[in-house]
Structure formats: structure tokens, C-alpha cells
Amino acid sequence: MLVSVVVCACILVAVSLRLSSHWPVRRRALVAAVVLVLSLLPFPYGLAPWVLSYLGDFSLTSGMLALLAVLHRLRGHQFLSMGQTRMACLLLVFLALWFYPMSLGSSYEDPYAWGFGDLIFSCMLLLVGVVAWLSRAYASCIILVVAQLAYAWRLLPSDNLWDYLIDPWLVFWASGWLIRDRLLARRARQRLAVNPPEAASPEPIRTEP
């Protein structure tokens, strides 16, 4: 339960930093510290226990991505490039479109059952981690490793590996990120169409006297 509260606290801090992104860094750091302290207070005083009671537990993936977002907002370092983030969001959305209907009974095969220690499923995740490492997507590889280690140690209330890797709120965030990315790309193309960049005029050829 303690890890679930910490994960939720990281998400709340990331949301607060996103909402205060136009403020100076010191003020944002102060807001993040206040939200973190308020989130980690025990029930019924803390924010995180109340959020968990209404929304359920978040996955370790959500917590790790929130932590990377916090570091990005405060330190300015981008751990995931735009391309890596776009690819991760696409994979999450397509995975959710396959996983949730199948787990809810649309087929006789239940992928949620694979999370109870299935060897083939673990090997598939290992293969995904190796591909991420070879593609230099180190943050994605680390997230997969941390999620599986947390599952091995049963740090979350669930005993299913899927609950450490994915949750509905993470899928909603990924969908929103993709929609926003699409809108920003369309807006950039419209600006280029209205104000095309001026072509550089060739320099005149100078001849020696």
C-alpha cells in the first residue's frame, strides 16, 4: 500500500507541475514540494489515499513516467524524446484496444491470466526490453525492468503483472497525448502554409577586378 501511495504522489506532483508550467522554476519546485507532502500524509489527511480510494491503484509504469515528467519540469532534461514518447503512446493504445476487450470476455483467451506468472509472457517482456535497449530507448527498458522487479517483490496490492505494467488512466493519458501531438502538428503545418519560409536568395558572384 505504501508504494501505491508513493506512485500516486508522483502522479499528483507531475500534474501540479504541468498546471504550473508557466511559473518560475523555484515557484514550481515549491508547489511540487507542497503537493508531495500533502499527498504522502496518512489517511484521511493525505491526498493520495483519497485519490486511490476513488480511482484505484496506478501501475508502476504510470509512476515512473510521472517521475520522469517531474524531473523534466524541474531539471529541464528530457529522458524520452518526442519520437520515443509517441511510439510508447501508440503501443499503449493499441495494447489497450487488444487487452481490455479480450480480458473482459470478448474471446476465450484471457490475456489477464498471463500476468499470474506465465513464462511465455515473461519471455515476451524480456524480448521487448532487449529491443528497447538496442534501440537506445533506455528509459523504456528501465521502466519494464522496474515494473517486473516490483512484481517479483509484490510491492503493489495486486499479484498480477499486468497491473504493474498498465492501467486505464495511463491509456487515457496516452490517448490524450497523441491527440494533442496530432493537433500541434496540424497547427504547425497550417502556419507553414500561411507563412512559408522565405527562400534564401543566392549570393551574387563576385569577380576579381
Side-chain angles (χ1 to χ4, degrees), residues 199-205:
S201 58
E203 295 184 357
I205 301 177

Side-chain angles (χ1 to χ4, degrees), residues 59 112 114-118 121-122 125 144 147-152 158-166:
S59 62
Y112 188 76
W114 301 349
F116 294 106
D118 186 79
F121 182 51
S122 300
L125 291 178
L144 282 173
Q148 294 191 70
L149 289 177
Y151 168 71
S158 175
D159 56 353
N160 192 291
L161 180 55
W162 282 110
D163 296 324
Y164 290 75
L165 296 171
I166 190 174

Side-chain angles (χ1 to χ4, degrees), residues 16-32 73:
S16 67
L17 288 175
R18 181 65 182 88
L19 295 176
S20 61
S21 59
H22 58 285
W23 290 358
V25 177
R26 290 185 178 180
R27 188 176 298 179
R28 278 183 284 162
L30 179 60
V31 170
R73 294 289 177 183

Side-chain angles (χ1 to χ4, degrees), residues 6-61:
V6 173
V7 169
C8 184
C10 289
I11 294 173
L12 292 176
V13 171
V15 171
S16 67
L17 288 175
R18 181 65 182 88
L19 295 176
S20 61
S21 59
H22 58 285
W23 290 358
V25 177
R26 290 185 178 180
R27 188 176 298 179
R28 278 183 284 162
L30 179 60
V31 170
V34 171
V35 173
L36 180 63
V37 172
L38 292 178
S39 300
L40 294 178
L41 291 176
F43 187 83
Y45 309 104
L47 294 176
W50 280 104
V51 173
L52 293 174
S53 65
Y54 283 99
L55 302 183
D57 292 317
F58 296 96
S59 62
L60 258 296
T61 304

Side-chain angles (χ1 to χ4, degrees), residues 5 21 80 109 134 162 172 179 182:
V5 172
S21 59
L80 287 173
E109 186 68 31
L134 294 178
W162 282 110
F172 290 152
I179 293 173
R182 186 70 174 177

Side-chain angles (χ1 to χ4, degrees), residues 2-181:
L2 177 60
V3 177
S4 298
V5 172
V6 173
V7 169
C8 184
C10 289
I11 294 173
L12 292 176
V13 171
V15 171
S16 67
L17 288 175
R18 181 65 182 88
L19 295 176
S20 61
S21 59
H22 58 285
W23 290 358
V25 177
R26 290 185 178 180
R27 188 176 298 179
R28 278 183 284 162
L30 179 60
V31 170
V34 171
V35 173
L36 180 63
V37 172
L38 292 178
S39 300
L40 294 178
L41 291 176
F43 187 83
Y45 309 104
L47 294 176
W50 280 104
V51 173
L52 293 174
S53 65
Y54 283 99
L55 302 183
D57 292 317
F58 296 96
S59 62
L60 258 296
T61 304
S62 296
M64 293 290 293
L65 289 176
L67 181 60
L68 294 180
V70 170
L71 295 176
H72 170 64
R73 294 289 177 183
L74 295 179
R75 303 295 297 274
H77 182 71
Q78 191 168 0
F79 295 90
L80 287 173
S81 64
M82 292 294 293
Q84 292 177 0
T85 305
R86 187 179 297 110
M87 182 59 64
C89 290
L90 285 171
L91 289 175
L92 281 171
V93 171
F94 282 116
L95 176 63
L97 291 175
W98 167 79
F99 171 72
Y100 286 112
M102 294 275 287
S103 299
L104 293 175
S106 64
S107 173
Y108 291 107
E109 186 68 31
D110 183 12
Y112 188 76
W114 301 349
F116 294 106
D118 186 79
L119 179 60
I120 298 178
F121 182 51
S122 300
C123 293
M124 290 171 57
L125 291 178
L126 177 61
L127 180 61
V128 171
V130 171
V131 172
W133 184 268
L134 294 178
S135 303
R136 297 185 178 181
Y138 300 123
S140 301
C141 182
I142 291 174
I143 289 174
L144 282 173
V145 171
V146 170
Q148 294 191 70
L149 289 177
Y151 168 71
W153 296 332
R154 299 297 193 272
L155 296 182
L156 294 181
S158 175
D159 56 353
N160 192 291
L161 180 55
W162 282 110
D163 296 324
Y164 290 75
L165 296 171
I166 190 174
D167 62 83
W169 304 110
L170 178 63
V171 178
F172 290 152
W173 169 81
S175 303
W177 193 96
L178 290 173
I179 293 173
R180 175 179 174 271
D181 180 61

